[in-house]
Amino acid sequence: MNAPAAPLSPYSSALGKSNIEVHTLSVLVDNEPGVLARVVGLFSGRGYNIESLTVAEVAHAEHLSRITIVTTGTPEAIEQIGHQLERLVPVHKVTDLTLRGGAVERELAMIKVAGKGPERQEALRLADAFRARVVDASIESFVFELTGNVGKIDQFIELMRPIGLVEVSRTGVAAISRGPNPIG
Amino acid sequence: MSNLLTGAEMVVRALQDQGVETIFGYPGGAVLPIYDALFHQKHIKHVLVRHEQGAAHAAEGYARSSGKAGVLLVTSGPGATNAITGLTDALMDSIPLVCITGQVPTHLIGSDAFQECDTVGITRHCTKHNYLVRHVDDLARVLHEAFYVAQNGRPGPVVIDIPKDVQFAVGAYFGPHKVEHKTYKPRLEGDPDKIAQAVEMMAAAKRPIFYTGGGVINSGVEASHLLRELVGLTGFPITSTLMGLGSYPASGEKWLGMLGMHGTFEANNAMHDCDLMVAVGARFDDRITGRLDAFSPGSKKIHVDIDPSSINKNVKIDLGIIGDCAHVLRKMVELWRARRHVASAEPLAKWWAQIDQWRARKSLSYKASKEVIKPQFAVQRLYELTKARDVYITTEVGQHQMWAAQHYHFEEPNRWMTSGGLGTMGYGLPAAIGAQLAHPDALVVDIAGEASILMNIQELSTAAQYRLPVKVFILNNEYMGMVRQWQELLHDGRYSESYSEALPDFVKLAEAYGAHGIRCSDPAQLDAAILEMIDTPRTVIFDCIVDKTENCLPMIPSGKAHNEMILPDHDAEIGSVIDAPGKMLV
Ligand SMILES: Cc1ncc(C[n+]2csc(CCOP(=O)(O)OP(=O)(O)O)c2C)c(N)n1
Ligand SMILES: [Mg+2]
């Protein structure tokens, strides 16, 4: 007979386990040494996932950096991630852009493709369709620069694979809210 | 200009300006300038420990018993790494510590210099926050900020790593009033609407319970007073975690005893069957909840905590109130009074009748003996013979710790110091030294196990140097008793490496350290021996020879629910109680 499945561990969370979601968190931090290590260490130490992470200074005079993290987990786990991030002393604000809705998310990728003859033509044609720019060219290769959401970049890379994909460098996702108001 | 100081002088000035009177430390090359600055002053007393772990636990004992921040000063490299266990312990139990570490000079950082280690890297995970100060001009701000961060919000340990060249460099010093933290501003006042909602839920409850923790103690004495008032007004039963003992008096009529793995039958069953749980400054950890999917299935849960991440972390909460315990409790008391609430008398009386039935099981009972000293009996006698005094109790970790929690009763907060979250053997003696320094005239007793005490036994030398009359009361069962108990439960009594082989003669050991040694193995002699200990105005080691195989009960076996406890009158083999998934747990 079908016995009910035993829970993973009697001490593990009874909170929802199944509905895994992808969320983008925007974290405004003091740009001080070690701040990225604190954030990344928190994710590894507590077993959270990082799908993508970008960081750069956004206000020089105020020493502020914005870290954008794409993470996966149950809604409860993602709420917990937000609170844990807020506990870090140099963190000013954590915003769950996915929960808030209506954010613009973009990633930049540089994609190297090698090939000769008709393959070159095909690569250029597809690049044009995706509005990718050629930032480097040699007789047997191109480097394309492509900006867009993650899905668009994934799709472009898949199309380049049979043509002669050599390698890819991606920035990870940067995100900002729509409308006149700041994320915070 | 008068406010130009060297980095080392700034450290000492900042400690003075923060009101620090006592620090714990151990010198070394990378902190010599600070030790030199200490040499030139009289305001701050430096207590020389014998191992940096001892410094950290002593600072914890000092902090926990006094409500102030504890301070330690250690050298780079091994000095810092030796302090790690104590820092982690303070993080887990939310104890405010400021730990100053020396570092190799800035130009050598990263070169694998002698006694260099990446202190901020290593301590990032075991501190609330840490700093590496590369410029002397940042030092005054960082020092004051560290005290702010350690003591505000949910308290915790903060490390300040100061390279040796920064200690020598000269810069401008300013006092604490100029420091306001940019980002770290914990919320103290709870949301008034939510507090009002909580009070309505409490007024409507039929089977309510207060479940309180270390947060009430951290919030200050006032929080404990308000808690007592609220319990008095509502008439609700109250239980507490290991860390929260003393915030409500053990003699109070609403007291159910401690809850959790070794908590009382009445506390755990009341948690399981309640219809409203009011959690205050407690964090639903696994020692408390037992099996999560069977944890208090029929209750609504209110959770008051200063740390938003504690709410909904392990257990789904119906009403979370973020704020300081004292603030929220005060508002609850005010509202309850203003609305002239009376708890619904009839259901509450029924609830108490049910609780009294659980109480009647007498879950802390044990089989008395005239031949051997039962460890529970030893703690009970210690309690009876010391309770009238100004007494502070610390513990090591193991069965003796749980027996102390069960059988020593606390009437006031800040009187009980134990390693709850990390469970650090070796905590008790240095913590007792810290507590004794904060309360020179009090009676301070470390209730110890013979295995744990050896982990920081070197601190007896510290006690001797400062003539600290701490009492080490060892419940000597010749076993790592808690390990032995789990091996009996889980591994068919194969006692792998849990026998305390080759123990020292503790009486002679005491004498070697200039302390007084007492041994007792006869229940009839116990009172006299305890009185001798109390009346000896010196450090005492009391080697109390107890029953070797006594188990600590009652117990929620790992992986079981609150209403599945093993009670002292359990007659079957305890080796068959825990199932396979339970065996995986700690
Ligand atoms: C530093 C450290 N190492 C190991 C443990 C695991 N441990 C928990 S209790 C215990 C035995 C303690 O023995 P003892 O001090 O004699 O106390 P008893 O349980 O016998 O009262 C051990 C080894 C621990 N808690 N801390
Ligand atoms: Mg023992």
Side-chain angles (χ1 to χ4, degrees), chain B residues 53 85 396-401 403 422-426 448-455 474-484 498 500:
Chain B
Q53 185 189 354
T85 302
E396 308 290 335
V397 171
Q399 290 179 318
H400 63 275
Q401 177 189 29
W403 283 317
L422 196 63
T424 312
M425 293 169 70
E450 84 294 335
S452 296
I453 193 61
L454 291 178
M455 285 217 176
I474 303 174
L475 298 181
N476 185 346
N477 53 9
E478 282 179 37
Y479 275 101
M480 298 171 195
M482 193 57 96
V483 174
R484 194 203 55 73
S498 55
S500 289

Side-chain angles (χ1 to χ4, degrees), chain B residues 246-320:
Chain B
S247 54
Y248 184 82
S251 62
E253 55 169 332
K254 308 295 182 226
W255 177 239
L256 303 188
M258 180 174 79
L259 82 158
M261 186 171 270
H262 293 289
T264 65
F265 189 65
E266 52 271 30
N268 285 331
N269 274 289
M271 286 288 280
H272 189 267
D273 284 2
C274 67
D275 72 342
L276 180 72
M277 182 184 298
V278 186
V280 188
R283 62 186 176 88
F284 293 87
D285 94 315
D286 55 65
R287 294 297 95 154
I288 293 306
T289 61
R291 185 184 194 97
L292 263 179
D293 56 7
F295 174 68
S296 194
S299 63
K300 291 258 183 258
K301 298 172 186 76
I302 298 171
H303 189 183
V304 180
D305 207 292
I306 198 156
D307 178 0
S309 76
S310 282
I311 295 170
N312 281 326
K313 182 169 68 182
N314 300 332
V315 167
K316 182 100 188 72
I317 297 301
D318 298 284
L319 182 67

Side-chain angles (χ1 to χ4, degrees), chain A residues 7 9-15 30 32 34 37-38 41 79-80 83-84 87 89-92, chain B residues 124-125 129-130 154 181-183 261 286 290-293 307-309 312-313 316 558-559 585:
Chain A
S9 149
Y11 288 169
S12 69
S13 176
L15 308 175
D30 279 330
E32 62 179 34
R38 283 182 213 285
E79 186 193 327
Q80 183 60 208
H83 289 315
Q84 292 293 348
R87 272 167 50 132
V89 170
V91 167
H92 287 249
Chain B
R124 199 169 282 136
H125 298 269
H129 194 48
N130 63 14
R154 180 173 176 177
H181 202 275
K182 286 182 294 190
T183 51
M261 186 171 270
D286 55 65
R291 185 184 194 97
L292 263 179
D293 56 7
D307 178 0
S309 76
N312 281 326
K313 182 169 68 182
K316 182 100 188 72
S558 49
L585 303 171

Side-chain angles (χ1 to χ4, degrees), chain B residues 84 126 134 161 169 175 534 574:
Chain B
I84 300 287
C126 63
R134 286 174 175 273
D161 197 27
I534 300 169
I574 65 170

